[in-house]
Amino acid sequence: MLVALTGIAVLAAVLVVLKGTGITPTAVGESPSALTTVSDLLGRKVQVHVPVRRVILGEGRQLYLVAALDTENPIQRVVGWRKDLIQSDPDTYSAYLRKFPGIAGIPTFGGFEDGTFDIEQAIALKPDVILMNIEAQRATEDAGYVEKLNALGIPVVYVDFRHYPVENTEPTMRLVGKLFGRQARAEAFIAFRAAQIRRVTGVIEARRPARPKVFIERIGGYTEDCCLSFGNENFGKFVEMAGGNNIAKGVIRGTFGQLNPEQVVAANPDQMVVTSANWEAFVPHGRWVGVGPGADLTEAARKLEAYTRRPAYAGIEANRNRAFHAIWHQFYNSPYDFVAIQQLAKWFHPALFADLDPDATFRELHRRFLPIDYSPGYFVSLPAQEVRQ
């Protein structure tokens, strides 16, 4: 239900009065939250009543973070969210839906970036804070959303797992941990993540193995375009941390970009990694490799085989060695990136990381921090000895 303009004006007046008192309204028996200044991932100083009790997630996949903090009930604070989790990661959404049926009733939004965010609907939900990814900044500023929401006492806080995840995952976890009053839980997650990354980077630094040339095809099967990839951030940096040489890092200046097929052929990568997922909602019966929770890895390997026949990859070293792999695309936008770093290291340096088990790492993460059981299926490689037809 949308709020009428008169309703917005009344709500604004109430919120301004409350803001002047430094407290926020609470239910009977609850202690009031305190007005606190926090720094978000854009360096903005934002005043928020902490701990927050009502949150709008500017991206549904922020549930990956929220669930690690509010593990007993990850939707207890979520009063609205963008519908991308439902569409981009339906298998994870289904797992949470089975455990927490109330998730189906959370109001959904369009995005700031595409102009479909409903600000009146957001106001009606009376959130204490809206968490936005940093790439939404330009759209929110152009539309004046932040100013309009601030006028109603609704702060916008920017977080980041996508553009600079290696650098920004820890401060994002700390920020949201503070907003939720879950600082100790956030620090435990941060320590676990750091220890798991060191299991790779410590070995690479000590042993200094030869680095294979690696090409990452981004969102394989979501589009037929070739050859989308990552620069020196996100999966591009994961490759370097795992002891590989990302061939796109000198070509793509930002986090995301594209190489032409001739550039891939000339670089002649030793290893091919396709990021993909279950994108049935966007590309029904498409060429995506459906890795993710509970995936059929036999079917995933069958679909991955088709990538060896793409013109850009037909004559490269990775094809001759059948060194083709697919990995869950959503590692690029979650605090679970360390699992991807471990799996990449195992592919690039199998002897060096023979005892490393990324599945066991992800299983332990679920056991310690998440409310749903672990279902393997997040990565697959081509069978080495398959007979070509």
Side-chain angles (χ1 to χ4, degrees):
M1 179 178 179
L2 299 184
V3 177
L5 289 177
T6 54
I8 294 177
V10 172
L11 179 58
V14 172
L15 288 171
V16 167
V17 170
L18 288 170
K19 187 174 182 180
T21 68
I23 62 172
T24 191
T26 59
V28 175
E30 288 184 347
S31 59
S33 54
L35 189 62
T36 304
T37 300
V38 301
S39 296
D40 70 8
L41 271 291
L42 290 176
R44 299 162 60 249
K45 301 295 183 182
V46 185
Q47 288 192 319
V48 187
H49 286 93
V50 174
V52 298
R53 296 185 175 90
R54 299 177 64 81
V55 179
I56 287 178
L57 304 183
E59 182 164 296
R61 283 169 289 183
Q62 291 168 353
L63 183 68
Y64 303 145
L65 158 65
V66 170
L69 298 175
D70 282 341
T71 306
E72 299 82 5
N73 182 5
I75 63 172
Q76 66 187 18
R77 304 175 206 258
V78 181
V79 297
W81 62 355
R82 191 175 178 180
K83 58 188 176 183
D84 58 281
L85 177 74
I86 301 169
Q87 297 173 320
S88 298
D89 189 7
D91 301 313
T92 295
Y93 174 75
S94 295
Y96 277 91
L97 180 63
R98 288 191 293 272
K99 185 78 175 284
F100 303 99
I103 201 171
I106 298 175
T108 59
F109 291 87
F112 280 97
E113 300 93 322
D114 57 18
T116 58
F117 181 79
D118 188 335
I119 190 168
E120 291 189 341
Q121 182 188 16
I123 293 167
L125 294 171
K126 302 178 184 178
D128 299 318
V129 69
I130 299 177
L131 299 180
M132 295 300 304
N133 288 352
I134 61 174
E135 64 268 18
Q137 179 190 17
R138 176 173 293 180
T140 56
E141 288 182 348
D142 289 348
Y145 285 131
V146 174
E147 291 77 8
K148 293 172 185 176
L149 291 166
N150 278 341
L152 296 174
I154 301 173
V156 172
V157 169
Y158 289 101
V159 300
D160 179 39
F161 290 114
R162 182 185 283 119
H163 278 269
Y164 306 101
V166 174
E167 297 84 357
N168 285 347
T169 292
E170 285 192 11
T172 293
M173 291 293 296
R174 286 196 173 96
L175 171 60
V176 181
K178 184 174 184 177
L179 292 174
F180 284 17
R182 299 279 192 175
Q183 293 96 322
R185 183 74 170 172
E187 291 300 329
F189 186 98
I190 287 168
F192 178 77
R193 173 179 176 269
Q196 296 302 326
I197 291 175
R198 284 195 300 271
R199 294 179 68 188
V200 172
T201 57
V203 173
I204 297 298
E205 290 168 4
R207 302 291 293 274
R208 303 180 68 84
R211 291 176 173 264
K213 293 179 292 183
V214 181
F215 181 68
I216 318 159
E217 177 170 330
R218 177 169 56 92
I219 57 173
Y222 187 91
T223 173
E224 291 300 310
D225 290 347
C226 186
C227 305
L228 300 176
S229 194
F230 299 86
N232 198 33
E233 290 295 340
N234 206 291
F235 261 97
K237 183 161 282 189
F238 302 166
V239 164
E240 300 288 324
M241 295 170 71
N245 179 20
N246 171 26
I247 68 169
K249 68 180 178 181
V251 181
I252 297 173
R253 295 185 178 275
T255 301
F256 310 108
Q258 187 171 7
L259 272 64
N260 61 52
E262 292 76 15
Q263 288 172 306
V264 178
V265 171
N268 192 25
D270 305 298
Q271 299 272 347
M272 271 291 309
V273 178
V274 179
T275 74
S276 198
N278 175 359
W279 283 314
E280 184 69 23
F282 301 108
V283 191
H285 313 297
R287 292 180 1 125
W288 40 267
V289 182
V291 284
D296 180 343
L297 294 184
T298 300
E299 173 63 8
R302 184 191 71 78
K303 296 185 78 171
L304 178 60
E305 179 73 32
Y307 285 79
T308 65
R309 296 187 287 272
R310 297 198 79 171
Y313 312 148
I316 63 175
E317 187 65 23
N319 207 325
R320 287 188 283 273
N321 295 330
R322 293 183 59 75
F324 274 65
H325 319 281
I327 191 166
W328 190 50
H329 179 69
Q330 308 306 338
F331 283 125
Y332 96 120
N333 187 32
S334 78
Y336 314 150
D337 55 356
F338 57 91
V339 180
I341 293 167
Q342 288 192 357
Q343 184 59 55
L344 292 170
K346 198 167 181 70
W347 283 333
F348 303 161
H349 304 288
L352 207 55
F353 292 100
D355 295 331
L356 186 62
D357 186 347
D359 260 314
T361 298
F362 213 0
R363 189 180 302 278
E364 184 180 359
L365 171 73
H366 279 70
R367 180 183 63 80
R368 290 182 55 182
F369 293 99
L370 298 178
I372 58 174
D373 293 332
Y374 180 61
S375 297
Y378 291 86
F379 7 79
V380 69
S381 297
L382 289 184
Q385 302 301 320
E386 183 173 315
V387 177
R388 299 288 184 95
Q389 297 297 320

